[in-house]
Amino acid sequence: MKTLHSYWAYIVLVVLIFTVINAVIGLIQKKEFTHKEFRLGLFSLITTHIQFLIGLAVYFVGGFQKGLGDMKDAPVRLLALEHPLMMIIAIVLITIGWSKHKKQVKSEAKFKTFAIFYGLALLLILSRIPWSNWF
């Protein structure tokens, strides 16, 4: 499960980065919000939620919650508290962004919603990835 969680993270990052860049470009160039953008946002939502479910399994089966007692150790704190908490907040932001974009009528507002919510989520995800475990 941990290996799947690690490899799926690459997919999540690629899709999320592409979605945010596409939203920023669409906003700047005042493009029309099409089915492509809709599907890209939905695919980002789905891949991040799948990653979240895999992460929950890794967290509870792997016993990472047991590290909550040792908050002085930075690597343990990252895996036991900081990483899961930031990922949950990121998932919430992506979900809110998805819900808010559906209520928007104008393309500019849809792109702006994706750029803000998905972009903030991407920043949170990048800030709390345990990079030492990846490389």
Side-chain angles (χ1 to χ4, degrees):
M1 283 299 259
K2 189 176 175 187
T3 304
L4 177 62
H5 184 66
S6 294
Y7 285 119
W8 192 260
Y10 290 110
I11 296 169
V12 169
L13 282 177
V14 168
V15 170
L16 197 53
I17 288 169
F18 190 71
T19 302
V20 170
I21 290 171
N22 186 62
V24 170
I25 290 171
L27 187 61
I28 291 170
Q29 295 181 352
K30 300 189 185 310
K31 289 185 174 182
E32 190 66 31
F33 194 87
T34 65
H35 292 306
K36 174 190 150 205
E37 284 80 18
F38 180 85
R39 288 187 181 120
L40 192 55
L42 180 60
F43 195 60
S44 295
L45 178 83
I46 291 169
T47 57
T48 53
H49 278 78
I50 290 171
Q51 177 72 343
F52 175 65
L53 293 175
I54 297 168
L56 280 177
V58 169
Y59 186 77
F60 289 109
V61 173
F64 288 103
Q65 76 279 9
K66 294 176 185 171
L68 289 173
D70 190 16
M71 292 292 104
K72 291 180 181 177
D73 188 9
V76 172
R77 185 178 60 242
L78 175 66
L79 292 177
L81 179 67
E82 294 171 0
H83 177 74
L85 182 61
M86 288 300 120
M87 298 309 136
I88 290 169
I89 293 170
I91 294 291
V92 168
L93 285 170
I94 290 169
T95 305
I96 291 170
W98 175 257
S99 296
K100 287 182 81 65
H101 110 276
K102 292 190 300 183
K103 296 174 185 168
Q104 305 295 332
V105 177
K106 295 182 179 181
S107 292
E108 182 180 355
K110 289 178 182 274
F111 280 122
K112 188 175 183 180
T113 302
F114 272 2
I116 291 171
F117 285 94
Y118 282 48
L120 287 173
L122 177 61
L123 288 175
L124 287 176
I125 290 169
L126 290 173
S127 75
R128 288 296 160 233
I129 289 177
W131 294 105
S132 60
N133 293 356
W134 273 29
F135 301 107

